[in-house]
Amino acid sequence: MLKLYSLFLFLICFLPLESIFGEIKGYKGGTPPKIWILSISIILLSNWLLLALIGSSFFDKIGSKLNRLFYKIPNIFFFLIIISSLIGSQIYVFEHKPLIIDSIVQLFQAQIFSFGQLKAKLPPIHEFFVTQHMLFDDWSENGRCGACRYGWFGQYPPGHSLLLVLGILIKKVWLIPVIISSLSSYFIYRFSKNIFGSEVTKITLLLLAFCPFFIFLGSSYMNHTTTLLLITLSVFNIEIYERTNKRLNFCLFIFFLSLTLLVRPLDAIVIGIVFIPAIFSSFIKDKILIFISALCALPSVFSLLVYNKLTTGEYLLAGYIKLWGAGHNLGFHMSPWGIHHTPLTGLRNELVDLQLLQDYLFEWPIPALLPISVLIFTQKSTHLWFKRLLAITIIFPAFYFFYWHRDSFLGPRFLYSSLIGLVPLSAYAIHSFTTNIFEDKTIHIFKLLKPVKYKHFSTSIFISCLVYSATISIPARFHQYSTGLGSMKIDLVSKAKESGIERGLIFVKSSWGVRIFSRIRGLGISASDSQIAYSHIDHCYLDELVKAKNKEKLEEEISLVKTNIDLDIKPQLKSYKANFDPSLLLDPNRTLTRECTEELKYDLKNNLQDYTNYEPHMRVNSPNLDGDFIVVKDLRELNVNLISLYPNYEPYIFNGESFSKVVQ
């Protein structure tokens, strides 16, 4: 069975997924099968030819010296590379800013926590502040929860945001992901040393130092970083417990695993499943551990339940379920965005992520999972931890198979927590190939050329991959990230002060589509139904409905859309980039009204885009909306309603480049 899995890991690189499944959103960046074949062929042939020409005896001399030199390198050297890379990524790639809405919301939630609150002050007119993954909770229908019933808060569990609070308090929030990921690398190193020995650990550190997936995502504000640290700490402690029988380490295993529930509950469940046999075996041997485990898990579980109660009003109701509805749960059903999640789409999602992992993990010219795949195929390992780590790498995609959403921001991020298995396993495989697994077996193809030892061949390939990634692919990925997402890196406050604005009500000029979506939410339409309407109904027609405040008619249209989705009837809509917004959907059979044409013109200046993203500037707001700047969306004729509520703030329009004063 494992040999079949090893073949699957290798062959997945060559699957033409878009030919099989059609166009896949967010799939850019995957290496095409033809390029993989060419790249693997070049690496294998060039390294074999080099070694066949120079001979094994020469490589033995050089290799043994390099080997001794490598293992003499102090571990601190690799940690310095890791920490320097994390800091450099934060400064030059992220510019100390969150670049995706998930991180923006969690950082804003941290700002709310830093004020000693669970929810921010409820904004006066919701549509100006509408942000994906944020809940406006006025509990107008059934006021539960007493004084906490009003507020504005993020959909996520509180764990990651609570850690970010530490950075906010010292006014260096960018340091938090750097510290978290540095600690992850240290405990992955300690864990790897305990299970595989010092030589494999050295390779583990080398891989982490040149693992762009770990470095780039690890320096971001995403909650995957905290999850990896907590999972690593839990796995590190269960290994110590099994070796020493110290109850403290079992308690720490349960404690850190339960803390993961406060960050990414699904990832905690995956790790828990892997270690169910170990947990029950420990309970049988030492029954007092049952009581100890309950005590260790209680703080996290209790905190999560209470947090849910104080924010959503229900102990077992998470923020993201309250916001998006039951469609956000695992399983095969209509997603909150109006797309049916089926076993086929689940398979597609995980095949995409596993294929992208071959690229993003190490950025090698060969598939990143190839060493693990070859080791599984050629050797039957009886090492317990080899099997456990392999189980982690298998169960993560198996569980996310049931999750409707995926994206590849900074790589296949839903598999990031599996690095606790992937990196040590890769190091173990590389060490096996470059030392004694093949003994002195050789490759001897042409008599004119010298025989090549398998271990020399493996070593040469590994060195080639490292040199390639360090000099070509990692710098290319760095350039891609550092020059991309420019609109998410704009510092609104600095630009305002450069323009002589020290205090103001800033209307961020957003696209027509954003204005439509905000007005839909302003009518009281749920987040899920708003998303379904936006992605399935002609935007010009939507604009007419929301401006007329015809909620009843809009709800009828959304109901019709859901029926059509169930019947697999697709809307006759086309994506138009007339205003440079790829999400703009119009019915080619409908004529644009004068009002809609005018909305498009408002988004342009000299036929160029004249708007920007609101989301990165949302967190400029103080949670109580009493700071020097109040930053909202530009909703054109509705702006006057908000201006009247803030007479002490001078109003301005910001288009991403400059400010213009609002004439009243």
Side-chain angles (χ1 to χ4, degrees), residues 548-580:
K549 297 185 178 180
N550 195 340
K551 182 180 179 181
E552 183 178 345
K553 181 62 176 175
L554 180 55
E555 288 176 332
E556 287 178 12
E557 294 291 343
I558 293 170
S559 179
L560 178 60
V561 165
K562 290 180 179 179
T563 300
N564 288 340
I565 291 172
D566 287 333
L567 297 173
D568 200 27
I569 300 174
K570 301 187 185 306
Q572 299 299 311
L573 300 177
K574 287 189 177 181
S575 176
Y576 287 86
K577 298 182 181 178
N579 61 345
F580 300 94

Side-chain angles (χ1 to χ4, degrees), residues 325-343 345 402-405 565-566:
H328 199 288
N329 285 315
L330 297 180
F332 304 120
H333 45 62
M334 187 189 292
S335 76
W337 293 0
I339 300 170
H340 277 296
H341 184 57
T342 66
T345 57
F402 297 98
Y403 185 47
W404 61 275
H405 179 61
I565 291 172
D566 287 333

Side-chain angles (χ1 to χ4, degrees), residues 598-615:
E598 200 277 328
E599 289 286 357
L600 285 172
K601 287 181 179 178
Y602 183 73
D603 287 351
L604 303 172
K605 184 177 182 180
N606 298 325
N607 292 320
L608 296 175
Q609 178 180 318
D610 190 39
Y611 59 85
T612 189
N613 289 325
Y614 168 71
E615 283 75 12

Side-chain angles (χ1 to χ4, degrees), residues 497-626:
K497 291 185 176 180
E498 288 171 6
S499 301
I501 304 169
E502 297 294 331
R503 178 182 172 89
L505 174 61
I506 311 297
F507 292 94
V508 176
K509 192 175 181 183
S510 303
S511 70
W512 180 29
V514 170
R515 296 193 294 275
I516 292 171
F517 188 86
S518 297
R519 289 181 182 228
I520 296 173
R521 291 298 310 278
L523 290 176
I525 304 295
S526 71
S528 177
D529 283 355
S530 297
Q531 189 69 48
I532 290 172
Y534 187 78
S535 56
H536 291 83
I537 300 175
D538 174 77
H539 286 185
C540 185
Y541 181 43
L542 275 178
D543 189 71
E544 293 174 19
L545 292 176
V546 295
K547 285 181 177 176
K549 297 185 178 180
N550 195 340
K551 182 180 179 181
E552 183 178 345
K553 181 62 176 175
L554 180 55
E555 288 176 332
E556 287 178 12
E557 294 291 343
I558 293 170
S559 179
L560 178 60
V561 165
K562 290 180 179 179
T563 300
N564 288 340
I565 291 172
D566 287 333
L567 297 173
D568 200 27
I569 300 174
K570 301 187 185 306
Q572 299 299 311
L573 300 177
K574 287 189 177 181
S575 176
Y576 287 86
K577 298 182 181 178
N579 61 345
F580 300 94
D581 179 3
S583 72
L584 177 65
L585 296 174
L586 296 173
D587 185 343
N589 298 316
R590 287 173 60 99
T591 303
L592 277 180
T593 64
R594 183 178 57 81
E595 291 79 5
C596 291
T597 303
E598 200 277 328
E599 289 286 357
L600 285 172
K601 287 181 179 178
Y602 183 73
D603 287 351
L604 303 172
K605 184 177 182 180
N606 298 325
N607 292 320
L608 296 175
Q609 178 180 318
D610 190 39
Y611 59 85
T612 189
N613 289 325
Y614 168 71
E615 283 75 12
H617 312 302
M618 179 270 289
R619 65 186 188 87
V620 171
N621 290 307
S622 160
N624 293 324
L625 298 178
D626 56 1

Side-chain angles (χ1 to χ4, degrees), residues 12 21 23 39 51 62 75 95 102 113 120 191 245 251 279 286 367 372 384 471 481 528 537 573-574 584 600 617 648:
I12 193 176
F21 297 105
E23 185 179 355
S39 180
L51 294 174
I62 299 297
N75 291 333
E95 299 181 13
D102 308 53
F113 288 156
F191 168 67
N245 284 322
C251 179
I279 293 170
D286 187 356
I372 297 174
L384 174 63
T471 59
Y481 289 158
S528 177
I537 300 175
L573 300 177
K574 287 189 177 181
L584 177 65
L600 285 172
H617 312 302
N648 297 324

